[in-house]
């Protein structure tokens, strides 16, 4: 299923049911007082958190959500039934913004339920207006309309590890080697147009689409996917030996991350030097030493070398287990 990380929709809570004018009928006494029941409340609209990160794609052709209307009141003081609530399931990490009020709701826990729109109150039946000075009230009130609004959903992925780096640095290939993600791979930039996710021994790894210089200002794929990196626990920064100045390439991506959000530069990070198969062992060793000066774990691997990939995945697994 295609990955979707944003959507717009219209929602309306249910209208309240109408109150009614009715009379109590007793043997020998045709009109024994008012007995018109109140209308039921309209159904509420809720959003609810789920771990299904692909669920937004299911709503591609469903842009309108409505809760049920409350039933009208009945005879013999019967209260109308409340309208059926509407639940909209959204992936964890969703931020829902009301486009009219600019208020936001964030879903961070599975099963978390938040009210989006309140249903309309039911109208009053004529029994409600009974008083010593008004023993035969003729009035009732209609139900109130349910709240409505237009909303925008932005998904910010929750993942243990976010793979970052220039386009074609090997992120999708590494994700495929570590998981069964089956991400699209190609020998050209921006092969990945949407984040790919993989399950790595119970840890979610996200392949964030390639960043370029100026990404924080909207260049390339722009800030569209930078928001996903904010929710990752740690970064795996891939730098390819195809780059003429690997350290400068690394610093450029770090700069773009910091420009977007300074907190990104404070995340735990491992550095992965990729495509070692296109150079010699001496150059690889020199680059490892250069990057190790940053005080971070540095790995060098070729995705054609199962041994180097396994060494990295084993070490990454240990790092993630210690972070639990």
């Amino acid at each position: 299923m295609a990955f979707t990380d944003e959507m717009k929709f219209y929602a309306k809570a249910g209208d309240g049911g109408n109150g009614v004018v009715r009379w109590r009928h007793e043997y020998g006494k045709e009109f024994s007082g008012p007995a018109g029941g109140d209308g039921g409340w309209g159904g509420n609209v809720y959003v609810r958190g789920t771990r299904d990160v692909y669920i937004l794609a299911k709503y591609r052709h469903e842009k309108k959500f409505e809760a049920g209307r409350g039933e009208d009141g009945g005879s013999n003081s019967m209260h109308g039934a409340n309208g059926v609530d509407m639940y909209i399931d959204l992936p964890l990490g969703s931020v829902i913004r009301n486009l009219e009020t600019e208020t936001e709701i964030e879903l961070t826990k599975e099963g978390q339920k938040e009210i989006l729109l309140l249903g309309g109150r039911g109208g009053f039946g004529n029994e409600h207006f009974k008083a010593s000075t008004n023993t035969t009230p003729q009035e009732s009130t209609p139900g109130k309309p349910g709240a409505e609004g237009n909303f925008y959903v932005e998904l910010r992925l929750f993942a243990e590890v976010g793979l970052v780096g220039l386009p074609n640095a090997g992120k999708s290939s590494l994700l495929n080697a570590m998981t069964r993600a089956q991400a699209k791979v190609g020998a050209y930039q921006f092969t990945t147009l949407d984040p790919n996710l993989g399950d790595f021994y119970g840890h979610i790894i996200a392949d964030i689409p390639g960043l370029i210089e100026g990404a924080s200002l909207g260049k390339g794929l722009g800030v569209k996917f930078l928001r996903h990196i904010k929710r990752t626990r740690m970064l795996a920064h891939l730098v390819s030996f195809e780059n003429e100045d690997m350290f400068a390439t690394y610093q450029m991506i770090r700069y773009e991350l910091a420009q977007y959000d300074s907190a990104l530069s404070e995340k735990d990070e491992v550095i992965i030097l990729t495509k070692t198969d296109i150079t010699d062992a001496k150059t690889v060793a020199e680059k490892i030493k250069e990057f190790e000066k940053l005080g971070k774990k540095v790995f060098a691997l070729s995705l054609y070398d199962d041994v180097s990939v396994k060494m990295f995945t084993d070490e990454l697994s240990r790092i993630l287990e210690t972070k639990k």
Side-chain angles (χ1 to χ4, degrees), residues 57-87:
K58 298 179 182 179
Y59 299 136
R60 280 178 298 178
H61 306 296
E62 188 175 2
K63 302 298 184 183
K64 185 177 182 179
F65 301 90
E66 292 190 28
R69 179 184 181 276
E71 288 186 355
D72 295 340
S75 301
N76 299 318
S77 307
M78 292 292 291
H79 194 289
N82 294 334
V84 177
D85 293 331
M86 165 63 70
Y87 288 88

Tab-separated table of all heavy atoms in Angstrom, residues 57-87:
chain	number	residue	atom	x	y	z
A	57	ALA	N	-3.558	6.195	3.652
A	57	ALA	CA	-3.791	5.870	2.243
A	57	ALA	C	-5.195	5.307	2.025
A	57	ALA	O	-5.754	5.415	0.934
A	57	ALA	CB	-2.745	4.873	1.754
A	58	LYS	N	-5.783	4.734	3.069
A	58	LYS	CA	-7.125	4.168	2.947
A	58	LYS	C	-8.188	5.253	2.823
A	58	LYS	O	-9.315	4.983	2.422
A	58	LYS	CB	-7.428	3.278	4.157
A	58	LYS	CG	-6.503	2.081	4.294
A	58	LYS	CD	-6.849	1.279	5.532
A	58	LYS	CE	-5.897	0.091	5.701
A	58	LYS	NZ	-6.206	-0.696	6.928
A	59	TYR	N	-7.805	6.471	3.198
A	59	TYR	CA	-8.763	7.569	3.150
A	59	TYR	C	-8.630	8.421	1.884
A	59	TYR	O	-9.184	9.513	1.817
A	59	TYR	CB	-8.566	8.487	4.363
A	59	TYR	CG	-8.778	7.816	5.698
A	59	TYR	CD1	-7.887	8.030	6.755
A	59	TYR	CD2	-9.864	6.983	5.929
A	59	TYR	CE1	-8.078	7.427	7.990
A	59	TYR	CE2	-10.060	6.375	7.155
A	59	TYR	CZ	-9.169	6.607	8.191
A	59	TYR	OH	-9.361	6.006	9.405
A	60	ARG	N	-7.929	7.929	0.900
A	60	ARG	CA	-7.696	8.724	-0.308
A	60	ARG	C	-9.004	9.165	-0.966
A	60	ARG	O	-9.086	10.251	-1.536
A	60	ARG	CB	-6.860	7.916	-1.304
A	60	ARG	CG	-5.370	7.901	-1.007
A	60	ARG	CD	-4.626	7.054	-2.001
A	60	ARG	NE	-5.058	5.660	-1.953
A	60	ARG	CZ	-4.603	4.707	-2.748
A	60	ARG	NH1	-3.716	5.003	-3.682
A	60	ARG	NH2	-5.039	3.465	-2.642
A	61	HIS	N	-10.020	8.321	-0.890
A	61	HIS	CA	-11.288	8.638	-1.543
A	61	HIS	C	-12.394	8.907	-0.519
A	61	HIS	O	-13.568	8.926	-0.869
A	61	HIS	CB	-11.706	7.495	-2.471
A	61	HIS	CG	-10.646	7.125	-3.476
A	61	HIS	ND1	-10.226	7.999	-4.458
A	61	HIS	CD2	-9.905	5.995	-3.628
A	61	HIS	CE1	-9.286	7.415	-5.190
A	61	HIS	NE2	-9.055	6.206	-4.697
A	62	GLU	N	-11.991	9.120	0.712
A	62	GLU	CA	-12.966	9.383	1.777
A	62	GLU	C	-12.550	10.663	2.489
A	62	GLU	O	-11.691	10.646	3.361
A	62	GLU	CB	-13.019	8.210	2.766
A	62	GLU	CG	-14.145	8.321	3.778
A	62	GLU	CD	-14.240	7.087	4.661
A	62	GLU	OE1	-13.391	6.175	4.503
A	62	GLU	OE2	-15.139	7.033	5.508
A	63	LYS	N	-13.151	11.758	2.120
A	63	LYS	CA	-12.748	13.063	2.648
A	63	LYS	C	-13.832	13.700	3.513
A	63	LYS	O	-13.693	14.859	3.913
A	63	LYS	CB	-12.409	14.010	1.496
A	63	LYS	CG	-11.311	13.496	0.569
A	63	LYS	CD	-9.991	13.308	1.293
A	63	LYS	CE	-8.894	12.885	0.321
A	63	LYS	NZ	-7.612	12.635	0.987
A	64	LYS	N	-14.893	12.955	3.800
A	64	LYS	CA	-15.997	13.509	4.574
A	64	LYS	C	-16.421	12.496	5.629
A	64	LYS	O	-16.704	11.334	5.311
A	64	LYS	CB	-17.168	13.844	3.648
A	64	LYS	CG	-18.329	14.546	4.329
A	64	LYS	CD	-19.402	14.898	3.302
A	64	LYS	CE	-20.566	15.639	3.942
A	64	LYS	NZ	-21.605	15.994	2.946
A	65	PHE	N	-16.449	12.930	6.886
A	65	PHE	CA	-16.813	12.057	7.991
A	65	PHE	C	-17.933	12.719	8.797
A	65	PHE	O	-17.830	13.882	9.171
A	65	PHE	CB	-15.616	11.809	8.905
A	65	PHE	CG	-14.435	11.185	8.206
A	65	PHE	CD1	-13.461	11.986	7.618
A	65	PHE	CD2	-14.318	9.817	8.116
A	65	PHE	CE1	-12.383	11.424	6.968
A	65	PHE	CE2	-13.240	9.236	7.466
A	65	PHE	CZ	-12.266	10.039	6.886
A	66	GLU	N	-18.997	11.976	9.054
A	66	GLU	CA	-20.124	12.522	9.792
A	66	GLU	C	-20.579	11.547	10.866
A	66	GLU	O	-20.700	10.343	10.616
A	66	GLU	CB	-21.299	12.833	8.856
A	66	GLU	CG	-21.036	13.978	7.889
A	66	GLU	CD	-22.300	14.402	7.158
A	66	GLU	OE1	-23.396	14.228	7.731
A	66	GLU	OE2	-22.186	14.899	6.029
A	67	ALA	N	-20.830	12.075	12.052
A	67	ALA	CA	-21.390	11.279	13.139
A	67	ALA	C	-22.909	11.241	12.993
A	67	ALA	O	-23.507	12.010	12.233
A	67	ALA	CB	-20.991	11.869	14.483
A	68	GLY	N	-23.534	10.352	13.744
A	68	GLY	CA	-24.972	10.166	13.620
A	68	GLY	C	-25.800	11.255	14.301
A	68	GLY	O	-25.378	11.856	15.301
A	69	ARG	N	-26.979	11.485	13.759
A	69	ARG	CA	-27.913	12.453	14.340
A	69	ARG	C	-28.606	11.833	15.539
A	69	ARG	O	-28.915	10.636	15.561
A	69	ARG	CB	-28.945	12.861	13.293
A	69	ARG	CG	-29.992	13.861	13.785
A	69	ARG	CD	-31.030	14.128	12.695
A	69	ARG	NE	-32.038	15.093	13.126
A	69	ARG	CZ	-33.121	14.790	13.832
A	69	ARG	NH1	-33.341	13.523	14.205
A	69	ARG	NH2	-33.988	15.736	14.173
A	70	GLY	N	-28.880	12.662	16.545
A	70	GLY	CA	-29.650	12.191	17.679
A	70	GLY	C	-31.101	11.961	17.291
A	70	GLY	O	-31.645	12.665	16.429
A	71	GLU	N	-31.751	10.981	17.930
A	71	GLU	CA	-33.149	10.721	17.632
A	71	GLU	C	-34.046	11.763	18.300
A	71	GLU	O	-33.709	12.337	19.337
A	71	GLU	CB	-33.552	9.332	18.132
A	71	GLU	CG	-32.968	8.189	17.332
A	71	GLU	CD	-33.528	6.845	17.780
A	71	GLU	OE1	-34.292	6.816	18.783
A	71	GLU	OE2	-33.204	5.835	17.141
A	72	ASP	N	-35.187	12.001	17.685
A	72	ASP	CA	-36.159	12.896	18.305
A	72	ASP	C	-36.724	12.250	19.565
A	72	ASP	O	-36.712	11.014	19.723
A	72	ASP	CB	-37.308	13.178	17.329
A	72	ASP	CG	-36.845	13.948	16.090
A	72	ASP	OD1	-35.772	14.576	16.160
A	72	ASP	OD2	-37.558	13.906	15.072
A	73	GLY	N	-37.213	13.101	20.451
A	73	GLY	CA	-37.853	12.582	21.648
A	73	GLY	C	-39.113	11.814	21.297
A	73	GLY	O	-39.609	11.856	20.164
A	74	GLY	N	-39.646	11.104	22.273
A	74	GLY	CA	-40.837	10.293	22.025
A	74	GLY	C	-41.932	10.576	23.032
A	74	GLY	O	-41.812	11.437	23.911
A	75	SER	N	-43.011	9.829	22.904
A	75	SER	CA	-44.114	9.940	23.852
A	75	SER	C	-43.721	9.325	25.187
A	75	SER	O	-42.698	8.635	25.303
A	75	SER	CB	-45.349	9.221	23.296
A	75	SER	OG	-45.741	9.786	22.049
A	76	ASN	N	-44.582	9.565	26.190
A	76	ASN	CA	-44.362	9.000	27.520
A	76	ASN	C	-42.992	9.364	28.072
A	76	ASN	O	-42.315	8.547	28.694
A	76	ASN	CB	-44.539	7.485	27.505
A	76	ASN	CG	-45.940	7.067	27.095
A	76	ASN	OD1	-46.919	7.682	27.532
A	76	ASN	ND2	-46.038	6.047	26.253
A	77	SER	N	-42.564	10.587	27.806
A	77	SER	CA	-41.302	11.133	28.339
A	77	SER	C	-40.079	10.382	27.848
A	77	SER	O	-39.014	10.432	28.490
A	77	SER	CB	-41.330	11.143	29.879
A	77	SER	OG	-42.472	11.802	30.370
A	78	MET	N	-40.198	9.681	26.737
A	78	MET	CA	-39.065	8.910	26.222
A	78	MET	C	-38.013	9.849	25.626
A	78	MET	O	-38.309	10.681	24.775
A	78	MET	CB	-39.533	7.931	25.147
A	78	MET	CG	-40.418	6.817	25.684
A	78	MET	SD	-39.521	5.684	26.764
A	78	MET	CE	-38.469	4.887	25.565
A	79	HIS	N	-36.783	9.669	26.102
A	79	HIS	CA	-35.642	10.448	25.609
A	79	HIS	C	-35.146	9.817	24.314
A	79	HIS	O	-34.988	8.594	24.224
A	79	HIS	CB	-34.527	10.436	26.663
A	79	HIS	CG	-33.446	11.452	26.433
A	79	HIS	ND1	-32.532	11.347	25.406
A	79	HIS	CD2	-33.130	12.588	27.107
A	79	HIS	CE1	-31.699	12.373	25.454
A	79	HIS	NE2	-32.047	13.141	26.483
A	80	GLY	N	-34.899	10.637	23.312
A	80	GLY	CA	-34.365	10.107	22.056
A	80	GLY	C	-32.963	9.539	22.239
A	80	GLY	O	-32.179	10.022	23.063
A	81	ALA	N	-32.637	8.516	21.480
A	81	ALA	CA	-31.299	7.915	21.564
A	81	ALA	C	-30.242	8.886	21.042
A	81	ALA	O	-30.502	9.675	20.132
A	81	ALA	CB	-31.261	6.622	20.759
A	82	ASN	N	-29.062	8.822	21.644
A	82	ASN	CA	-27.953	9.646	21.168
A	82	ASN	C	-27.459	9.135	19.813
A	82	ASN	O	-27.532	7.930	19.520
A	82	ASN	CB	-26.809	9.634	22.169
A	82	ASN	CG	-27.171	10.306	23.477
A	82	ASN	OD1	-28.043	11.180	23.514
A	82	ASN	ND2	-26.517	9.918	24.554
A	83	GLY	N	-26.924	10.042	19.013
A	83	GLY	CA	-26.385	9.655	17.715
A	83	GLY	C	-25.120	8.819	17.855
A	83	GLY	O	-24.408	8.874	18.869
A	84	VAL	N	-24.834	8.039	16.846
A	84	VAL	CA	-23.650	7.170	16.849
A	84	VAL	C	-22.393	8.011	16.656
A	84	VAL	O	-22.325	8.864	15.757
A	84	VAL	CB	-23.753	6.113	15.730
A	84	VAL	CG1	-22.486	5.258	15.682
A	84	VAL	CG2	-24.988	5.246	15.935
A	85	ASP	N	-21.392	7.784	17.517
A	85	ASP	CA	-20.130	8.513	17.407
A	85	ASP	C	-19.350	8.058	16.167
A	85	ASP	O	-19.464	6.908	15.728
A	85	ASP	CB	-19.269	8.284	18.650
A	85	ASP	CG	-19.877	8.894	19.905
A	85	ASP	OD1	-20.598	9.897	19.787
A	85	ASP	OD2	-19.626	8.358	21.009
A	86	MET	N	-18.550	8.960	15.639
A	86	MET	CA	-17.671	8.645	14.513
A	86	MET	C	-16.229	8.605	15.008
A	86	MET	O	-15.777	9.529	15.688
A	86	MET	CB	-17.809	9.714	13.420
A	86	MET	CG	-16.712	9.704	12.358
A	86	MET	SD	-16.653	8.190	11.386
A	86	MET	CE	-18.158	8.338	10.412
A	87	TYR	N	-15.503	7.516	14.696
A	87	TYR	CA	-14.097	7.385	15.054
A	87	TYR	C	-13.252	7.383	13.779
A	87	TYR	O	-13.508	6.596	12.859
A	87	TYR	CB	-13.848	6.095	15.835
A	87	TYR	CG	-14.403	6.133	17.245
A	87	TYR	CD1	-15.718	5.755	17.500
A	87	TYR	CD2	-13.618	6.565	18.309
A	87	TYR	CE1	-16.232	5.805	18.781
A	87	TYR	CE2	-14.119	6.617	19.597
A	87	TYR	CZ	-15.427	6.232	19.828
A	87	TYR	OH	-15.936	6.285	21.107
